[in-house]
């Protein structure tokens, strides 16, 4: 095995699958499993989920710029469960709509909901119907697109998935209990949010818009 070649691959690859490692290590079967376990034990490889890894080398390099590290993790969130886009509490926290810092990177997917916990962090995925898996934006990570919701889209996803039982409890949550910083929303954000609600056809979300308009929030 060419150690120098392997180290170069680990330093240059934002993520590695088991298939990638089979080629890099020139190993297969139990021999491949042995080397993956060895590299993981040595902390050169970091497991993100079964058969999916990053390397400590790449992580150290990307962590030299905190902003790059943040976008890198958002990129990983897109890849770990595909298709998906970053949304919900993570975006709401980063935009100031929620006062608390997000403890995980939260995403929307059309697949079943999942949680992946690893040494580098926690990635949470919530399921939404196909028709609402849209209207997200993107940012750049080393020439690759990272799919991420705007604050308005993240707010829509968050409230759409929030269960209010009975629905009259929505007012208490929206105005007090949820601690949502409505002042953060720009005029453009409000317009986008209302448009997303109209396109969704959701009766629950229309009631929320009516309530927020009554309170002069929208």
């Amino acid at each position: 095995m060419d150690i120098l070649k392997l180290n170069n691959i680990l330093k240059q690859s934002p993520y590695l699958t088991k298939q990638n490692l089979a080629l890099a290590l020139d190993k297969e079967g139990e021999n491949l499993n042995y080397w993956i376990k060895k590299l993981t034990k040595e902390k050169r490889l970091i497991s993100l989920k079964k058969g999916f890894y990053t390397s400590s080398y790449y992580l150290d390099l990307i962590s030299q710029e905190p902003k790059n590290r943040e976008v890198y993790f958002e990129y990983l969130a897109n890849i770990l469960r595909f298709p998906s886009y970053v949304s919900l509490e993570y975006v709401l926290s980063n935009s100031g709509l929620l006062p608390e810092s997000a403890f995980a990177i939260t995403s929307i997917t059309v697949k079943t909901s999942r949680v992946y916990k690893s040494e580098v962090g926690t990635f949470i995925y919530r399921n939404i119907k196909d028709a609402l898996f849209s209207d997200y934006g993107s940012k750049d990570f080393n020439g690759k697109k990272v799919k991420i919701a705007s604050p308005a889209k993240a707010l829509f996803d968050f409230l759409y998935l929030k269960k209010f039982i009975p629905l009259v409890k929505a007012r208490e949550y929206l105005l007090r209990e949820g601690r949502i910083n409505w002042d953060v929303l720009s005029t453009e954000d409000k317009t986008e949010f209302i448009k997303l609600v109209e396109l969704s056809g959701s009766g629950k979300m229309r009631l929320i818009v009516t309530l927020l308009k009554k309170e002069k929030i929208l």
Side-chain angles (χ1 to χ4, degrees):
M1 181 178 62
D2 189 333
I3 295 295
L4 184 59
K5 178 185 175 184
L6 173 64
N7 286 343
N8 284 334
I9 291 171
L10 293 180
K11 289 174 183 177
Q12 295 171 15
S13 303
Y15 69 91
L16 293 143
T17 63
K18 192 172 182 180
Q19 290 76 17
N20 297 147
L21 289 167
L23 293 172
L25 295 165
D26 193 23
K27 306 290 181 186
E28 59 183 20
E30 286 306 311
N31 205 4
L32 173 62
N33 291 336
Y34 166 80
W35 276 100
I36 290 176
K37 286 179 183 177
K38 176 179 170 63
L39 293 170
T40 303
K41 188 174 182 180
E42 292 172 354
K43 304 295 184 182
R44 293 164 73 186
L45 276 183
I46 301 169
S47 177
L48 299 174
K49 70 173 186 178
K50 187 176 180 181
F52 197 102
Y53 309 85
T54 188
S55 77
S56 55
Y57 298 110
Y58 191 87
L59 196 56
D60 287 344
L61 285 171
I62 210 72
S63 296
Q64 291 174 18
E65 292 288 342
K67 195 66 181 175
N68 282 347
R69 179 185 172 96
E70 179 180 299
V71 182
Y72 169 55
F73 286 149
E74 293 166 358
Y75 170 70
L76 283 180
N78 280 189
I79 301 297
L80 273 171
R81 194 151 186 79
F82 182 86
S84 66
Y85 62 89
V86 178
S87 186
L88 304 167
E89 292 92 340
Y90 177 84
V91 173
L92 295 178
S93 176
N94 283 358
S95 62
L97 273 162
L98 290 180
E100 299 86 5
S101 296
F103 75 92
I105 297 186
T106 50
S107 298
I108 290 292
T109 181
V110 291
K111 293 185 175 179
T112 52
S113 299
R114 283 283 187 279
V115 177
Y116 298 123
K117 293 183 178 180
S118 69
E119 290 179 32
V120 302
T122 300
F123 299 84
I124 298 174
Y125 298 83
R126 299 283 306 279
N127 166 266
I128 207 164
K129 64 182 182 179
D130 289 14
L132 298 180
F133 189 86
S134 60
D135 300 298
Y136 48 80
S138 67
K139 61 169 70 171
D140 179 77
F141 172 70
N142 292 347
K144 301 174 180 67
K145 282 189 175 182
V146 179
K147 297 188 288 292
I148 186 166
S150 65
K153 173 60 171 168
L155 180 64
F156 172 86
D157 293 340
F158 181 72
L159 294 177
Y160 180 82
L161 293 174
K162 185 78 179 175
K163 287 181 169 52
F164 298 110
I165 304 174
L167 192 57
V168 291
K169 287 192 174 181
R171 185 177 187 279
E172 177 64 24
Y173 182 85
L174 293 169
L175 302 183
R176 282 177 286 278
E177 187 183 310
R179 300 177 65 200
I180 298 171
N181 297 324
W182 295 108
D183 291 342
V184 169
L185 286 178
S186 66
T187 301
E188 291 76 16
D189 291 331
K190 294 174 183 179
T191 300
E192 182 185 351
F193 178 75
I194 292 169
K195 182 180 178 182
L196 288 167
V197 169
E198 289 172 350
L199 289 172
S200 74
S202 167
K204 166 191 160 183
M205 293 304 294
R206 284 173 177 163
L207 283 173
I208 286 174
V209 164
T210 299
L211 190 156
L212 292 174
K213 283 182 175 179
K214 185 178 180 181
E215 297 294 330
K216 302 189 185 305
I217 292 172
L218 293 180

